[in-house]
Amino acid sequence: MNFPGPIDTEELQGKLADLRAEHRDLDDAITALAEQPSLNLIQIQRMKKRKLALKDQITRIENLLIPDIIA
């Protein structure tokens, strides 16, 4: 995720909130799907892959918002 020019922290914080909500919703959906008697392992695997991609995006945005402090 590249951001040309100055970083709009409000926009990033909004995006971060959206990604966290989607990540949480996916977690709930995976849990519910795993509890069903007829497991769809392929669908669960796809959802977990999407959840991991969301986590990567969340981490990238968090790193942009929180500057590195060199001790």
Side-chain angles (χ1 to χ4, degrees):
M1 186 178 297
N2 294 334
F3 295 98
I7 297 173
D8 181 355
T9 56
E10 286 184 28
E11 183 180 338
L12 283 178
Q13 288 173 343
K15 178 72 173 169
L16 186 59
D18 291 345
L19 290 172
R20 285 180 174 155
E22 186 178 351
H23 186 270
R24 204 171 30 254
D25 291 346
L26 261 177
D27 195 39
D28 293 343
I30 290 168
T31 301
L33 196 59
E35 292 173 352
Q36 291 183 356
S38 59
L39 286 177
N40 185 340
L41 295 177
I42 292 174
Q43 185 177 9
I44 292 173
Q45 187 177 28
R46 287 180 183 152
M47 292 170 80
K48 285 183 177 183
K49 189 174 181 178
R50 173 68 181 144
K51 186 178 161 194
L52 184 58
L54 286 171
K55 183 63 178 169
D56 289 342
Q57 288 179 342
I58 289 168
T59 301
R60 277 194 296 267
I61 291 175
E62 286 174 339
N63 288 337
L64 287 172
L65 290 172
I66 302 170
D68 291 335
I69 300 173
I70 300 173

